Amino acid sequence: MGELSGKVVVITGASRGIGRAIATRFAREGARLGLIARDQAALAETLVTTGDATVCSAIADVSDARAVHAAIAQLRASLGPVDILVNNAGIVVRDDVLAMSEAEWLQVHAVNTHGPFWLVRACGADLRERRGRVINIASIAGEFGTAKLAAYCSSKHAVIGFTRALAKEWADARVMVVAICPGSVDTDMLKIGMPHGKPDMTPDDIAEVALFLASRAPYAMTGGCVDVHG
Ligand code: NAP
């Protein structure tokens, strides 16, 4: 019996990087996975890493509320109600505040901040009924400021605020809502966000923390932000 045996887990941004590592790790613990991303071919590569676990995938842009609701309906029809939601999908834009286009600013917030909101609403009834868990992948950028990353930093500060508020709001249903705040992780995003930065961790390190929060972590941690800086 794995630590997540039989649990239905939805993971966004599962087509590479941290999301793929979480999917792979959770599959080994017996989770029934619903994976969401935009790139079908890359998502298919993730499926190869999940062995004989029960896995379904849906193509959706998390910034599109309708697409998110359709994806969750599709996954739910195959897997059943959602026990755990991992809001991992994210993008970064590296530019000066004065140089960044309006579209870039809006897109970063649409994906990083609004995406988790749409997912939480789409899975909310299940999560509340099943005393589920929400794990939001925020960032160290949600706790500090970094030059040229204003859109990303502000979107991740918002994710932490959302985590804290939702934890309070859903305390009545004992839904545990937490955030992980990683430092530098060796993924495609790091190369864009911090081109001269050296990774301190692998995606597997974050997956291990996510597993703890999805399984053994006590409800008392709700509303918390777990720093993982390597
Ligand atoms: P990554 O390798 O670039 O992967 C990002 C994932 O998000 C991909 O699977 C991508 O899939 C998905 N995604 C992006 N936009 C999407 C959209 N509109 N709709 C659906 N899926 C979308 O990045 P990563 O480093 O693994 O990042 C994962 C999370 O960790 C992000 O929230 C990021 O902010 C956070 N984080 C990363 C670091 C780091 O150092 N890498 C540090 C702190 C926090 P598709 O392109 O297929 O849609």
Side-chain angles (χ1 to χ4, degrees):
M1 291 284 279
E3 290 198 67
L4 296 173
S5 197
K7 295 284 185 191
V8 173
V9 184
V10 168
I11 306 171
T12 66
S15 60
R16 55 177 192 270
I18 293 169
R20 175 181 288 173
I22 293 173
T24 307
R25 185 70 187 90
F26 282 23
R28 292 215 307 273
E29 296 299 332
R32 294 158 55 78
L33 296 171
L35 308 182
I36 297 177
R38 294 164 305 170
D39 184 335
Q40 191 148 26
L43 208 43
E45 286 177 38
T46 297
L47 259 62
V48 173
T49 72
T50 55
D52 56 5
T54 302
V55 188
C56 297
S57 61
I59 301 303
D61 182 333
V62 298
S63 69
D64 178 341
R66 279 193 195 174
V68 166
H69 277 270
I72 293 302
Q74 180 192 328
L75 295 174
R76 232 179 146 267
S78 304
L79 298 169
V82 180
D83 294 294
I84 298 167
L85 168 63
V86 182
N87 276 314
N88 166 79
I91 57 170
V92 67
V93 168
R94 184 178 173 83
D95 213 342
D96 297 335
V97 168
L98 297 183
M100 184 182 302
S101 73
E102 194 178 310
E104 283 175 321
W105 174 270
L106 293 173
Q107 184 62 13
V108 170
H109 288 84
V111 176
N112 296 1
T113 308
H114 304 166
F117 174 70
W118 302 130
L119 265 299
V120 157
R121 281 161 62 103
C123 302
D126 286 349
L127 292 167
R128 286 179 56 79
E129 197 176 307
R130 300 173 76 79
R131 296 191 169 191
R133 296 187 172 204
V134 178
I135 301 170
N136 293 323
I137 309 299
S139 172
I140 188 174
E143 303 175 299
F144 302 97
T146 303
K148 296 187 185 293
L149 293 181
Y152 184 73
C153 285
S154 63
S155 73
K156 293 297 186 177
H157 274 71
V159 170
I160 291 174
F162 181 51
T163 301
R164 290 176 174 149
L166 189 66
K168 295 275 188 201
E169 193 165 314
W170 282 2
D172 62 335
R174 302 276 293 179
V175 178
M176 182 171 145
V177 187
V178 290
I180 299 176
C181 295
S184 305
V185 187
D186 192 4
T187 68
D188 295 346
M189 178 182 283
L190 187 68
K191 296 180 190 93
I192 301 167
M194 304 286 279
H196 305 299
K198 285 210 169 62
D200 294 315
M201 292 165 288
T202 67
D204 291 343
D205 293 319
I206 307 304
E208 210 60 49
V209 176
L211 174 60
F212 170 70
L213 292 172
S215 57
R216 280 160 287 144
Y219 173 76
M221 288 183 73
T222 196
C225 301
V226 179
D227 289 340
V228 188
H229 296 175

